[in-house]
Amino acid sequence: MRRQMLRQHSGAHGSYLRGSRYSELSCFFHSDMAVGAFARLSSTAELSLHCSPVAILLLFLKWLITVFDFIDHKEQIHALYGFFFSFLQDEKMCPYVCHLLYLLTRKENGESIQWCEMEYYFGMQSHLQALLSLYKLFCPELVTITLPGKMKTYFKNSEGPWKAAINAIRRRSQGNSPLSQPLFLGTAQPQSRKRKWNTQLFIPASSTNRNNLEQDSGKNHVDLYSANKSFPVEQLQTFPQLLENIHHLEFPSQMGSVLTNPLLLHYMNCIKDESVYLRLNYWMGQTLQEECTWCVADNQYEDEFKDFLETVYKTECFLQEGFSSCEEFLYKSLPLWDGFCCRSQILRLVSWIPLGNFSEMKSHLYDPLAQLFFTSSLYFKCSVLESLKELLQNWLNWHVIHLDSASDSQVCSLNTTLSGLVNVVAELIQFVGWISTVALRLENNPTFLLYFILDFYETVCDMYLRYSLPLLIMPPAGVFYPALLSMDSVSLNQLCYIMYRYRTNLVAAKENEQSKKKILQFKFSSQTYQEYNQYIIAMVGCLWTSTAFQKDIHPQGLRMDEELLKKTAMQELKTSFNIVYHPAMMGYAVLFLQQVMGWANIWGKKWNWYLEYLYTQGLKGLKLFIESSINRVSQASRSKAGNTQA
Amino acid sequence: MAAAGSPRSAPRGLTGRAFKPRPAANGAGAGAVMEPRAPSGTGRPSWGLLLARGHGPLGFSSSSQLLPPENADPQRTAFLLRKQWTLYSVTPLYRFSNAHLRNYSRLLSAFIAAERQKGWAVEVGVELDIKVAVSSLPDLKGSDQDHAAVLVEVRSLPSPQKTSQEKRIWSGWFCCVCGDDFFENMPEDFTCLPLFLANGAESYTAIVGSWFQKTFDCCFHRLAISPLNLSWMAAMWTGCKVDKTASAMELIFSVPGLLQPLDISYAIHPEDAKALWDTVQKTPGEITQEEVDIFMDCLYSHFHRHFKIRLSAAKLVKVSTAIASAHCDGIIKFLQSQYLIGVLRLLTELAISQIQ
């Protein structure tokens, strides 16, 4: 009857084993090994010996070997020892049975085994050797054949995929850490987790270039610098050493090592050798391309890549110029970047991009950055604005330096013409103006963002005087008016300072134009002056004369019709919006009045005291603006500001 | 799916002709076999796609020439055929000189010996005396500006007891075929050999590669071949004339499945494939992207008609023709010596696009 039952079960048993291996594994490892379940399986296996095909038994054996370590109570398996032993005769199952018996054998098994017939059957295969050696260990008197001394791996580790699955499930159930590797069941990829030999992420140590095989043994030449004896790079430790040996020094065999060696970087600055830069750029380009964590699938070395980017950035700051390979890398990888991985490092590297022509920059830098910019958090926006400001400053500094050494034509292969430079810078500023406008609307004019935008324009407003670049670009209305009408005094103060600097620059440009009496290459167009005047009218109207709503002539400005203003039902419309009542300044006005106690409002000479009070509160920009742009001829005629006319 | 621009006359054979069974036992005459296989592939995007510098988007010029039969000396290059070569791209070598090849052999032998002293083992329990030979192959270049190919061989020396010959246990060679466009302005000190092919144990490749990296300040990187480039190769090589009866053209696709990835092998009779290609290609000597697309679409639609599987959605992993066979992991096998230079030219272009 048992046999009949088993015939019925064997089919189900087979399919159970075959079809549900993975679910079995998963259910077993949520808790400890369920002995009962195993017992059920083993009993059916035992009795279905004649019914099941060999494949099923093989599968069962393989599974047993894989999960052997997890079984807590092995008595039942030991009870089946003889049963498994009988399978040794089957050629296909022999390796697996040997492996299983190897795991199971204990001392008491040795006595009851009819092992002596084994060697006649199959000869000395490695799995049999393993089993026999174990028997020899336990019962040396029963094993008389000699076994080879060297221990090799006897059993094939054939169930790697299963083991991988088991480990993954255990990890998942033990810790709640997310699986970092996908559960793919197959052989490992050829270039998988361990480090490849050609990985360059570790910056090589400086070692002398021993490649000088130019043997001039035949010639006798007197070498003044004794160049045969070059100073070994490994010994270079201090700056005085560098100075002493500067003529005998050679670059190390692997250029990558200069990144961490400031002395060699100094040396690199002195040597104007193209091959040096070529070597470094090739190495760096390949490393960046290869190790980029978001461009190469399953690259898990994000921290090392971050450190590498830091090192590159520090080197660029040291040399005060960007690497062309780094620029290429940014152009290639920014379109694929998620804005999150290595964020601060990438944005800092962006600030060292050398001047390039506009169309390249637009498609490779501005477009991907804009995409990320509009869809990211406030902090990302501010970081991008900061890095663009530094980019602008680096370009301007480069321009100033090369202005002095104008004859150095071989150094810069990029735009050497002034008009080219002006165009590129202008495009950058317009780009920033555009994204700032949109960002302010998206984020609803937060002070934090406005600070970074106005910081950028602080650099822009001074380009003529500080950096000798004949370019003056006013901020767009989308930046100016939110700053003018902002609710906090920091932005207002910054804006005042910026307008003051614009004025200074414009005045200086005008004077230069008029004094030189010759045609200058660049002169600011009348449109620039006009724009400035419009802004200044609005500003003075807001701060001083309370006439912003009537007199603002900017097309995107504050001007409102009389009827609309009447509808607001504000009393004293003509005196209600100025430096006292401006939302940003109200706080100061209140504090001022509290201090002086007893004054209801601020007019007449109290106005001056109020202004003095504001200046002591740190509003230096405001002070400069008022002093420069507002003519205080008399109380009555609060004249409009600015004596620069188009 | 109607192939856009199907050939004017359906070539005979594609629809009804029985395929000759391939000599390699790969299945019945039906020509398509599916086997479960482990996934592979490096998952690297083709850099050649991203910065197209006036060339086609693949690193190949859009008007690539068909490969004319070259007359490289078959004797010297015979050992390059019918071996699996793993591809690497190499940045220019600094201060490499052909005059010092003997010295390089000596230094490299010493380096390998030193590495083995360190405990790194090649094969357990087998003692080998290693000799390294670095030589030059002047025939393997495309134009005169190319640097001659450099061959590095690691041979095991016969021990006094055994009478066996010197055996080549690892070989690798650097070459550059028609790379002069890209390397025009390189200074004198640099030698441009952008393609490196290695055959033998990976451990030896690692050692030799590290030595070259340390000595000549270059960088080695595995060169993967994208499916797009593989389809180009399939199209280009199909059109080449081969003297003897050629083996079938075989394309292997990988369909990644969650539990069990699938491999689909699609074998096409070489004459049929060539007939199809001849109807697709318009200008002899020039190949455009559209022609390659049409060719592949025809093959895919034929397969779809019979098996209802859209191969265009699967990843093309390997291409085998009578001329050469290429795998997407960057493994190549040359089968015909007359087209060796042509195939090397394609591979050099790929290597250069990875370096630039």
Side-chain angles (χ1 to χ4, degrees), chain A residues 601-610 632 635 638:
Chain A
N601 57 4
I602 301 173
W603 54 276
K605 65 175 186 242
K606 294 171 202 157
W607 187 274
N608 293 336
W609 291 346
Y610 175 59
R632 306 191 52 201
Q635 303 283 6
R638 309 249 178 98

mmCIF file of all heavy atoms in Angstrom, chain A residues 601-610 632 635 638:
data_model
loop_
_atom_site.group_PDB
_atom_site.id
_atom_site.type_symbol
_atom_site.label_atom_id
_atom_site.label_comp_id
_atom_site.label_asym_id
_atom_site.label_seq_id
_atom_site.Cartn_x
_atom_site.Cartn_y
_atom_site.Cartn_z
ATOM 1 N N ASN A 601 5.584 109.867 13.868
ATOM 2 C CA ASN A 601 6.035 109.447 12.543
ATOM 3 C C ASN A 601 7.338 110.161 12.222
ATOM 4 O O ASN A 601 7.869 110.938 13.000
ATOM 5 C CB ASN A 601 4.971 109.721 11.494
ATOM 6 C CG ASN A 601 4.584 111.178 11.483
ATOM 7 O OD1 ASN A 601 5.154 111.980 12.199
ATOM 8 N ND2 ASN A 601 3.615 111.508 10.678
ATOM 9 N N ILE A 602 7.803 109.818 11.077
ATOM 10 C CA ILE A 602 9.146 110.267 10.718
ATOM 11 C C ILE A 602 9.034 111.286 9.598
ATOM 12 O O ILE A 602 8.600 110.978 8.500
ATOM 13 C CB ILE A 602 9.981 109.079 10.268
ATOM 14 C CG1 ILE A 602 10.061 108.029 11.394
ATOM 15 C CG2 ILE A 602 11.366 109.509 9.856
ATOM 16 C CD1 ILE A 602 10.732 106.757 10.989
ATOM 17 N N TRP A 603 9.406 112.509 9.870
ATOM 18 C CA TRP A 603 9.412 113.511 8.799
ATOM 19 C C TRP A 603 10.374 114.602 9.223
ATOM 20 O O TRP A 603 10.775 114.737 10.348
ATOM 21 C CB TRP A 603 8.006 114.075 8.569
ATOM 22 C CG TRP A 603 7.382 114.610 9.799
ATOM 23 C CD1 TRP A 603 6.707 113.929 10.754
ATOM 24 C CD2 TRP A 603 7.431 115.970 10.237
ATOM 25 N NE1 TRP A 603 6.313 114.749 11.749
ATOM 26 C CE2 TRP A 603 6.725 116.004 11.468
ATOM 27 C CE3 TRP A 603 7.949 117.154 9.715
ATOM 28 C CZ2 TRP A 603 6.567 117.212 12.165
ATOM 29 C CZ3 TRP A 603 7.771 118.314 10.435
ATOM 30 C CH2 TRP A 603 7.084 118.341 11.663
ATOM 31 N N GLY A 604 10.719 115.333 8.256
ATOM 32 C CA GLY A 604 11.605 116.460 8.530
ATOM 33 C C GLY A 604 12.989 115.965 8.922
ATOM 34 O O GLY A 604 13.540 115.057 8.310
ATOM 35 N N LYS A 605 13.496 116.576 10.002
ATOM 36 C CA LYS A 605 14.863 116.209 10.333
ATOM 37 C C LYS A 605 14.934 114.840 10.982
ATOM 38 O O LYS A 605 15.991 114.216 11.031
ATOM 39 C CB LYS A 605 15.509 117.258 11.229
ATOM 40 C CG LYS A 605 14.876 117.391 12.569
ATOM 41 C CD LYS A 605 15.694 118.376 13.381
ATOM 42 C CE LYS A 605 15.158 118.408 14.777
ATOM 43 N NZ LYS A 605 14.632 119.636 15.229
ATOM 44 N N LYS A 606 13.770 114.374 11.435
ATOM 45 C CA LYS A 606 13.789 113.005 11.939
ATOM 46 C C LYS A 606 14.128 112.031 10.826
ATOM 47 O O LYS A 606 14.612 110.916 11.050
ATOM 48 C CB LYS A 606 12.414 112.641 12.513
ATOM 49 C CG LYS A 606 12.068 113.435 13.725
ATOM 50 C CD LYS A 606 10.640 113.178 14.100
ATOM 51 C CE LYS A 606 10.147 114.355 14.942
ATOM 52 N NZ LYS A 606 8.711 114.476 14.894
ATOM 53 N N TRP A 607 13.823 112.437 9.603
ATOM 54 C CA TRP A 607 14.142 111.602 8.457
ATOM 55 C C TRP A 607 15.637 111.328 8.410
ATOM 56 O O TRP A 607 16.060 110.182 8.223
ATOM 57 C CB TRP A 607 13.662 112.332 7.192
ATOM 58 C CG TRP A 607 13.762 111.541 5.933
ATOM 59 C CD1 TRP A 607 14.852 111.433 5.131
ATOM 60 C CD2 TRP A 607 12.740 110.772 5.322
ATOM 61 N NE1 TRP A 607 14.584 110.644 4.064
ATOM 62 C CE2 TRP A 607 13.277 110.218 4.149
ATOM 63 C CE3 TRP A 607 11.401 110.495 5.655
ATOM 64 C CZ2 TRP A 607 12.536 109.406 3.296
ATOM 65 C CZ3 TRP A 607 10.682 109.684 4.792
ATOM 66 C CH2 TRP A 607 11.250 109.142 3.631
ATOM 67 N N ASN A 608 16.424 112.373 8.630
ATOM 68 C CA ASN A 608 17.876 112.200 8.589
ATOM 69 C C ASN A 608 18.353 111.299 9.706
ATOM 70 O O ASN A 608 19.209 110.451 9.526
ATOM 71 C CB ASN A 608 18.586 113.545 8.695
ATOM 72 C CG ASN A 608 18.325 114.373 7.476
ATOM 73 O OD1 ASN A 608 18.018 113.843 6.419
ATOM 74 N ND2 ASN A 608 18.451 115.684 7.616
ATOM 75 N N TRP A 609 17.720 111.543 10.900
ATOM 76 C CA TRP A 609 18.145 110.687 12.003
ATOM 77 C C TRP A 609 17.770 109.249 11.731
ATOM 78 O O TRP A 609 18.513 108.340 12.084
ATOM 79 C CB TRP A 609 17.467 111.142 13.307
ATOM 80 C CG TRP A 609 17.984 112.462 13.740
ATOM 81 C CD1 TRP A 609 19.096 113.120 13.304
ATOM 82 C CD2 TRP A 609 17.372 113.295 14.708
ATOM 83 N NE1 TRP A 609 19.231 114.296 13.930
ATOM 84 C CE2 TRP A 609 18.192 114.448 14.804
ATOM 85 C CE3 TRP A 609 16.235 113.202 15.509
ATOM 86 C CZ2 TRP A 609 17.873 115.476 15.664
ATOM 87 C CZ3 TRP A 609 15.949 114.226 16.349
ATOM 88 C CH2 TRP A 609 16.752 115.346 16.435
ATOM 89 N N TYR A 610 16.647 109.096 11.099
ATOM 90 C CA TYR A 610 16.217 107.728 10.742
ATOM 91 C C TYR A 610 17.232 107.091 9.791
ATOM 92 O O TYR A 610 17.624 105.932 9.943
ATOM 93 C CB TYR A 610 14.824 107.761 10.132
ATOM 94 C CG TYR A 610 14.338 106.422 9.610
ATOM 95 C CD1 TYR A 610 14.219 105.314 10.450
ATOM 96 C CD2 TYR A 610 13.997 106.255 8.269
ATOM 97 C CE1 TYR A 610 13.776 104.090 9.976
ATOM 98 C CE2 TYR A 610 13.541 105.035 7.786
ATOM 99 C CZ TYR A 610 13.437 103.972 8.641
ATOM 100 O OH TYR A 610 12.997 102.753 8.165
ATOM 101 N N ARG A 632 19.993 115.417 -2.653
ATOM 102 C CA ARG A 632 19.114 115.980 -1.646
ATOM 103 C C ARG A 632 19.317 117.478 -1.603
ATOM 104 O O ARG A 632 19.950 118.017 -0.701
ATOM 105 C CB ARG A 632 19.421 115.345 -0.312
ATOM 106 C CG ARG A 632 19.349 113.827 -0.439
ATOM 107 C CD ARG A 632 19.386 113.169 0.871
ATOM 108 N NE ARG A 632 18.389 113.715 1.739
ATOM 109 C CZ ARG A 632 18.434 113.617 3.028
ATOM 110 N NH1 ARG A 632 19.435 113.010 3.609
ATOM 111 N NH2 ARG A 632 17.493 114.148 3.772
ATOM 112 N N GLN A 635 14.399 119.871 0.846
ATOM 113 C CA GLN A 635 13.337 118.985 1.274
ATOM 114 C C GLN A 635 12.219 118.940 0.282
ATOM 115 O O GLN A 635 11.620 117.921 0.040
ATOM 116 C CB GLN A 635 12.758 119.468 2.615
ATOM 117 C CG GLN A 635 13.776 119.575 3.707
ATOM 118 C CD GLN A 635 14.147 118.220 4.293
ATOM 119 O OE1 GLN A 635 13.714 117.199 3.787
ATOM 120 N NE2 GLN A 635 14.951 118.231 5.330
ATOM 121 N N ARG A 638 12.388 116.698 -4.003
ATOM 122 C CA ARG A 638 13.125 115.436 -3.918
ATOM 123 C C ARG A 638 13.327 115.015 -5.367
ATOM 124 O O ARG A 638 12.511 114.348 -5.980
ATOM 125 C CB ARG A 638 12.277 114.394 -3.191
ATOM 126 C CG ARG A 638 11.740 114.906 -1.879
ATOM 127 C CD ARG A 638 12.403 114.190 -0.743
ATOM 128 N NE ARG A 638 11.925 114.707 0.535
ATOM 129 C CZ ARG A 638 10.984 114.123 1.236
ATOM 130 N NH1 ARG A 638 10.410 113.040 0.800
ATOM 131 N NH2 ARG A 638 10.602 114.658 2.375
#
